Amino acid sequence: MKALFAVLIAFFFVLSTDDVDIKNTRIEGDFKVPNSIAPLDYSDDVIYQTSATKYIPVKDEFFTEHVRVLPDADEERRITLQFGTRQKDNQQSPYAKNMKQLVNAVQERGNEVYIGTNKGLYIYDKSTKKRVYHESYGINGPLASSVTALALDKKGTLWIGTPVGLSALKADGTWLSLRGADGLPVEDITALAIDNRDLIWIGTTQGSILYTPYEEGRKFYYRAGKRYLSDDHVFDIIINETSTSIYFKVGTGISRIDEIPRTLAQKAEIMEARLNKWHRREGLVAKCILNDPENPTSHTIPDNDNDGLWTAYHVVAMSLAYGATGDKAYLESASEGMHALIMLQNASGIPGLVARSVVPIGERSKKSEQWRPTPDGKWLWKSDTSSDEIDGHFFAFYAYWEHIARHDPAETELIRKQAGTVMSYIADHNYQLIDWDGERTTWGFWNPELINDNPEHYLENGLNSAQILSHLKVTWYITGDDKFKQHYDRLITEHGYLANVMLEKKVHPDANNHSDNQLGYCALYPLFQLEYDPRARDILQRTARRHYRTLDRDGSAFFYFATATIDPDFVDIKSAMLNLQQIPTDRREWRMVNSNRKDIVWSPYLDRFERKQLLNVLPVDERNWDKWNGNPYYADGGGDGREEDDGASWMLAYWMGRYHGFIGPGE
């Protein structure tokens, strides 16, 4: 009988997941959307149409990633000898005999030998055995009389490096030049090497550059900083015969960059394996501090104010991964993270009051009064939890429920209890998060009196409206308790929260808040999946378009894919794919400096922190990238490589793209 009873209970829980008929649910009551028009009637919408549905899913093909590899001692000695031999050959070339100038490079082209010196370019004719000085510089000659490097490609073009840019003498005798205005990141060229595909590696005093003169699309790949080189002053370059390793003679010795072919699916596996090895603390997901960034043998994981949010990123990623593949390893990974979030939800001992983070009680002497002991006395929990954290918890509630919990009786009961408890605590306190001391947390508010009636919270008005509606919708979807739907409907019909959501993304002259971009999409994504009232869905589509327009030069994959779940033909899916390819698999946060580049343009506007920013975003493999909340227009960022990002932000975007069919499975 007990076994039969257990089966009946399990059947009840699985069956009850269908009690909420989400697709046929409508908002009870009328509501206004002032100053709005039909979602597809914008006069200029046609220029944003991408026809993405005609080409998705995008095939996950192999792409090349540049990875710095530490050469071993024997390899470094061998390459050092090769560099020395080549330098000696240039200096002792018979074509440069008796020259008083310093010879930097020698290159044969047919019957002519070009000799680059610090005083100019010389041409030696093998048939006449005469050497002449090239008299023209600038337009019909090299950019400068100081010639630092020479290289010849298969098309017969002679490439000439100078301290002020790159010149080229084509086979037909015409000249061209490239400088910062043409896209060359650094003009002070010290070395050139060409591989068997006519790709040109350029050495400079400030890093290296890969130049692809004959390929479509992107032409320059700036490779500087310790992500790519041990030292940025490049003196010479050697490419191995298979073109998969590039060696650089730099100030500190020998650096090596390997060209690694990968698919996004392979990249996802690398990141997930590393996360589980280095980035779990009590089940929570976070960045770690490596003891040695070059050869780590140990690490520490400090607590973080956003432990819940960053863990939620990974729970959503793994829930989507399980939904896309059915692989139990993803289910187990998602479950570990979800149960860590539940630990945060229960740590305070006050049902519904979520902790920011937890640490063992032994660390109490290092913590402020913001840290409180858990009821069992074993832990400290951090109070003053923000709306960011609550946003993450409900983001995770939705994805974990949708793909995992509702199919498991025990998890069904648990997640219903947790979501209902947290949401009831907020709703019962007038949509505020009340802390242990009876006071509202600093950022834990979603009530009409603050976000509608207080002008100080103009910037939070749309975002916080989206958050509370999303949290209520998710909770009603999970629990089936109509009180949450009643709260949801009331905020829309009596307080205009859906109209607020349509203006969720504030635009210029308001400073772009990149942290709010991620928080907005964490809230909007569940709404896009759960709101089927035609009136509300039209507003959400307009919301998605408005927000996307402010980000459509960034290429940020998470925002793009979340938008595409409601409006795929308004999103550049291929740019999102490129963004995922370019984000380095190496998640160590190396210092990346671009403010010295000659190809950048500064924005006339400072960001919201009054920091300088670029007019155009740089490719993400040339700058520091941590999570989706960072400003992608900063020129410089990163550190000494000891901090390693957990990679969950990348996995969130990748698995969202995979699950929703925007990205195909890897080859």
Side-chain angles (χ1 to χ4, degrees), residues 173-190:
T174 58
W175 286 86
L176 63 84
S177 61
L178 295 169
R179 304 194 68 189
D182 306 299
L184 184 67
V186 180
E187 295 176 341
D188 190 0
I189 295 173
T190 57

Side-chain angles (χ1 to χ4, degrees), residues 61-87:
E61 298 179 309
F62 281 94
F63 60 93
T64 298
E65 186 166 8
H66 291 138
V67 177
R68 177 164 66 93
V69 176
L70 294 176
D72 60 35
D74 289 341
E75 183 181 20
E76 185 157 2
R77 282 193 293 269
R78 175 173 54 83
I79 298 300
T80 299
L81 286 173
Q82 289 185 37
F83 278 124
T85 300
R86 189 158 73 176
Q87 183 179 15

Side-chain angles (χ1 to χ4, degrees), residues 111-414:
N111 203 43
E112 296 176 321
V113 180
Y114 292 82
I115 306 164
T117 77
N118 62 336
K119 298 294 184 180
L121 178 67
Y122 290 80
I123 305 168
Y124 182 91
D125 189 314
K126 292 181 183 178
S127 59
T128 64
K129 302 187 184 307
K130 291 183 178 181
R131 184 171 60 222
V132 297
Y133 179 75
H134 196 283
E135 295 184 354
S136 180
Y137 293 87
I139 297 177
N140 293 314
L143 280 168
S145 58
S146 177
V147 175
T148 55
L150 298 169
L152 184 70
D153 69 23
K154 292 181 179 179
K155 299 184 185 304
T157 298
L158 178 69
W159 296 92
I160 303 167
T162 78
V164 295
L166 182 65
S167 297
L169 175 59
K170 294 185 177 181
D172 63 5
T174 58
W175 286 86
L176 63 84
S177 61
L178 295 169
R179 304 194 68 189
D182 306 299
L184 184 67
V186 180
E187 295 176 341
D188 190 0
I189 295 173
T190 57
L192 294 172
I194 301 178
D195 72 10
N196 55 24
R197 300 160 295 175
D198 277 344
L199 305 184
I200 305 172
W201 280 94
I202 303 170
T204 79
T205 55
Q206 299 174 61
S208 64
I209 303 162
L210 173 62
Y211 174 46
T212 62
Y214 306 118
E215 295 193 354
E216 294 294 324
R218 182 178 174 185
K219 295 296 183 183
F220 297 97
Y221 300 74
Y222 187 41
R223 299 295 181 247
K226 287 194 174 181
R227 179 186 292 166
Y228 299 111
L229 300 171
S230 59
D231 185 282
D232 280 345
H233 194 128
V234 177
F235 294 97
D236 204 354
I237 305 172
I238 289 175
I239 303 174
N240 74 349
E241 294 181 357
T242 60
S243 301
T244 57
S245 293
I246 302 92
Y247 295 94
F248 303 85
K249 181 182 179 183
V250 297
T252 56
I254 304 299
S255 265
R256 169 182 159 189
I257 291 177
D258 278 8
E259 296 181 324
I260 307 294
R262 287 192 175 116
T263 64
L264 293 177
Q266 290 174 338
K267 193 170 184 174
E269 291 304 304
I270 293 170
M271 289 204 185
E272 172 65 3
R274 184 168 57 217
L275 182 146
N276 286 311
K277 179 180 179 181
W278 295 104
H279 297 278
R280 295 272 195 187
R281 183 180 70 84
E282 305 300 333
L284 298 168
V285 171
K287 70 169 55 179
C288 72
I289 310 298
L290 304 171
N291 69 316
D292 180 355
E294 298 289 5
N295 184 27
T297 57
S298 65
H299 70 289
T300 58
I301 303 178
D303 61 84
N304 185 279
D305 277 1
N306 293 122
D307 273 341
L309 179 59
W310 306 144
T311 302
Y313 267 29
H314 188 248
V315 171
V316 175
M318 292 298 97
S319 298
L320 291 166
Y322 180 65
T325 67
D327 188 330
K328 290 293 181 66
Y330 298 134
L331 182 152
E332 292 168 0
S333 189
S335 179
E336 182 178 358
M338 189 70 238
H339 284 256
L341 292 180
I342 291 170
M343 173 185 65
L344 295 182
Q345 293 158 16
N346 298 337
S348 70
I350 302 172
L353 176 56
V354 179
R356 278 187 177 274
S357 185
V358 295
V359 295
I361 195 72
E363 296 186 19
R364 184 173 186 177
S365 61
K366 304 176 185 178
K367 302 299 177 183
S368 69
E369 287 302 308
Q370 191 178 349
W371 291 85
R372 315 298 303 173
T374 57
D376 62 9
K378 296 180 179 180
W379 299 87
L380 294 172
W381 66 276
K382 195 169 190 179
S383 57
D384 198 26
T385 299
S386 71
S387 58
D388 304 27
E389 295 300 285
I390 302 302
D391 204 19
H393 281 261
F394 280 92
F395 190 31
F397 275 143
Y398 167 69
Y400 188 74
W401 171 266
E402 182 68 16
H403 302 291
I404 296 173
R406 68 190 182 97
H407 305 293
D408 180 290
E411 292 294 274
T412 292
E413 184 176 12
L414 177 61

Side-chain angles (χ1 to χ4, degrees), residues 70 173 180 215 253 279 318 325 425 463 480 482 565 578 585 588:
L70 294 176
E215 295 193 354
H279 297 278
M318 292 298 97
T325 67
Y425 187 74
L463 172 62
D482 282 342
T565 64
L578 185 62
T585 306
R588 290 170 294 181

Side-chain angles (χ1 to χ4, degrees), residues 618-657:
L618 292 169
V620 71
D621 53 16
E622 297 180 356
R623 54 183 166 87
N624 184 63
W625 183 87
D626 182 5
K627 300 181 188 299
W628 301 113
N629 64 331
N631 184 345
Y633 292 88
Y634 285 157
D636 305 336
D640 63 3
R642 292 181 65 238
E643 288 192 9
E644 183 178 79
D645 173 56
D646 52 64
S649 299
W650 185 93
M651 287 189 277
L652 167 64
Y654 169 71
W655 285 111
M656 186 172 286

